[in-house]
Amino acid sequence: GDVGLGVTLPGAKLNVVPGSSAIAGLFSGTTEKDMVRITQLGGGNALRVDDIASDSSPFVITGIGSVGIGVTNPRYALEVHRDNTNTYSIDSSDTSNTSTLLTLKNKSGSDGTGTGYYSALKFDIADGANSNGWLSFIRTADNQGDFIFRARNAASSYPELMRIKSTGLVGIGTTNPEYTLVVDSLVSTGTTALFVHGDAQITGDLIVDDFNLDELTVDQVNVTGILTSAQTKLNGITTAVNINVTGIT
């Protein structure tokens, strides 16, 4: 009962072997139903695509809908495997292309255009009053872009929480950080911008500024080894119980 097309000894119920320039199968139509339906009632995969005979790293879809790329028995909704012995390099001229497992690409834009276009990965939990989060990469100029973290915090509110610019500057509560790390709590008046439990060592300028909102209370600040007093700035502090500045020349 086996049927062979292009082969005299079929190895399956239907075995199709096309010529070197032919398409093995083509489905075309205007149906409103499924074009092709595969029902797997057993324990095997519903679909498997090999690029060589007995491929150990095929593309498969299991009977429950799990997708495996490079793996024959995916345990999760999507599982991607790849062998690669290249080591990571911190050289800025090097890329991670050889070990990239997934690419999300927005093809719109070209040289000099596309500023503001982005690709995003969405996290969604529940089916009603959903909890949502996004990790996006936005094009800010030719050859540049920012990573952006957003999350839903109310029915119709999806604020930006953190931004990492292509220059390495990080902003929390601000979309345009001007320093290596900027933490802005003004988005929520009365919120502590930064809390450090334990020692914190700072080499360079220390700038504390409450933007004249009189919300900052400092119990103790110890600054050691500042070159000039002009480099120590404590602006708008309403309560300064104990500020020690040593080593100022």
Side-chain angles (χ1 to χ4, degrees):
D2 296 343
V3 178
L5 300 177
V7 59
T8 57
L9 296 174
K13 291 300 181 182
L14 175 62
N15 193 173
V16 181
V17 179
S20 59
S21 60
I23 299 174
L26 178 63
F27 301 87
S28 179
T30 57
T31 177
E32 299 298 322
K33 301 296 184 179
D34 300 332
M35 181 65 74
V36 177
R37 178 176 293 184
I38 300 174
T39 302
Q40 170 59 281
L41 301 178
N45 291 320
L47 177 67
R48 173 169 175 153
V49 179
D50 293 338
D51 59 354
I52 59 174
S54 301
D55 191 0
S56 62
S57 56
F59 167 80
V60 302
I61 301 177
T62 68
I64 61 173
S66 298
V67 177
I69 302 175
V71 56
T72 58
N73 56 341
R75 296 166 295 171
Y76 310 103
L78 173 63
E79 190 168 345
V80 182
H81 290 198
R82 182 177 183 180
D83 293 329
N84 195 302
T85 57
N86 291 288
T87 57
Y88 179 77
S89 173
I90 60 173
D91 188 342
S92 61
S93 64
D94 193 17
T95 69
S96 301
N97 287 338
T98 54
S99 294
T100 298
L101 295 181
L102 178 64
T103 298
L104 305 178
K105 182 171 183 176
N106 181 346
K107 296 176 64 177
S108 300
S110 59
D111 289 355
T113 68
T115 298
Y117 296 170
Y118 67 97
S119 293
L121 183 63
K122 181 181 180 181
F123 301 87
D124 198 343
I125 303 173
D127 189 18
N130 295 28
S131 301
N132 309 126
W134 293 262
L135 171 59
S136 306
F137 187 75
I138 181 173
R139 180 177 171 89
T140 56
D142 286 359
N143 308 312
Q144 297 179 32
D146 296 352
F147 279 106
I148 297 173
F149 295 81
R150 302 184 70 162
R152 186 180 191 181
N153 64 6
S156 299
S157 179
Y158 309 88
E160 179 176 320
L161 305 179
M162 183 171 73
R163 180 178 294 236
I164 304 175
K165 301 181 70 67
S166 58
T167 56
L169 304 182
V170 179
I172 300 176
T174 176
T175 60
N176 188 31
E178 298 179 353
Y179 305 97
T180 303
L181 174 61
V182 176
V183 182
D184 189 349
S185 67
L186 297 184
V187 294
S188 179
T189 302
T191 300
T192 300
L194 179 64
F195 176 78
V196 179
H197 187 189
D199 295 341
Q201 181 174 337
I202 300 174
T203 302
D205 293 352
L206 173 64
I207 303 175
V208 181
D209 195 334
D210 76 341
F211 299 95
N212 298 319
L213 292 180
D214 297 331
E215 295 177 354
L216 182 62
T217 300
V218 175
D219 293 328
Q220 182 169 342
V221 176
N222 298 309
V223 182
T224 304
I226 303 297
L227 296 179
T228 67
S229 58
Q231 289 177 297
T232 304
K233 304 175 183 179
L234 300 173
N235 302 326
I237 296 177
T238 57
T239 302
V241 176
N242 186 12
I243 299 179
N244 300 317
V245 180
T246 61
I248 296 178
T249 59

